[in-house]
Structures are given as structure tokens and as C-alpha cells.
Amino acid sequence: MTGDVSQAFIHADIDKPIVTQVPKSLQDLKIMYKNEFLELKEGDGLIVLKALYGYRMAPRLFLDHFARVMEQLEFHRSLIDHSVFWRDQVL
């Protein structure tokens, strides 16, 4: 059985803090945070909470996250190929 995870990398948490500037496309955008509106301005910083496409460590972070989920579902990780998981019982 094979599968694909839509927007896979955003499911994994970042393992260290990353701060980035507000992209030009998001400047002047109003967002709701803790019941109040904040306006993103040029020079503001954003803390990245989830792995993003383009982040060098995103594939490893997602595989680590996916492995934890599979282990919770009682799957075992192959010792030869760490991207292969198997289970003794059928779901």
C-alpha cells in the first residue's frame, strides 16, 4: 500500500526557532490573533512554527513526525529502509 500526504511538511513542527520577515505579498494584511486584529507591516518578524517547503530540514522533520504517528498506530519501521513501515495485523 502506498499513499501521499497533502501538504506533508506543514504537519511537522520545527525543531529550532526560525524568525523571518513578513513577505511583501503579506504586508498590510490584517490577521486575527488572540481576539484582536494585527496588521503585518514591513520589517515585522514572524516566528515559523511548522516545517515549510524550501526549509532544508523539512523532509527529515516530516519523516520523524510521520514515524511517530506510525509507531502510535503500531507500525514498525524497517531497519533497512527507514521510509518503509510494516504492521503484523491488518487494519
Side-chain angles (χ1 to χ4, degrees):
M1 181 174 111
T2 61
D4 187 21
V5 178
S6 176
Q7 301 175 354
F9 293 161
I10 64 171
H11 294 281
D13 293 325
I14 293 284
D15 57 348
K16 62 183 178 180
I18 296 177
V19 179
T20 186
Q21 288 186 345
V22 174
K24 288 184 180 183
S25 61
L26 295 180
Q27 289 177 10
D28 301 323
L29 178 71
K30 291 183 181 179
I31 59 171
M32 176 71 84
Y33 179 72
K34 293 188 177 181
N35 294 325
E36 68 179 85
F37 282 102
L38 301 174
E39 187 171 347
L40 300 177
K41 300 211 180 287
E42 183 178 357
D44 285 350
L46 298 174
I47 297 174
V48 179
L49 300 176
K50 297 289 184 174
L52 300 172
Y53 288 92
Y55 176 51
R56 180 175 286 150
M57 299 304 292
R60 182 189 58 81
L61 291 171
F62 173 72
L63 186 57
D64 291 346
H65 167 76
F66 184 72
R68 285 191 302 275
V69 171
M70 294 302 281
E71 288 169 4
Q72 290 173 354
L73 297 172
E74 299 178 1
F75 280 80
H76 306 281
R77 198 171 193 175
S78 169
L79 297 176
I80 297 169
D81 184 347
H82 294 284
S83 63
V84 174
F85 296 85
W86 57 276
R87 184 176 167 152
D88 293 326
Q89 301 171 347
V90 177
L91 293 176

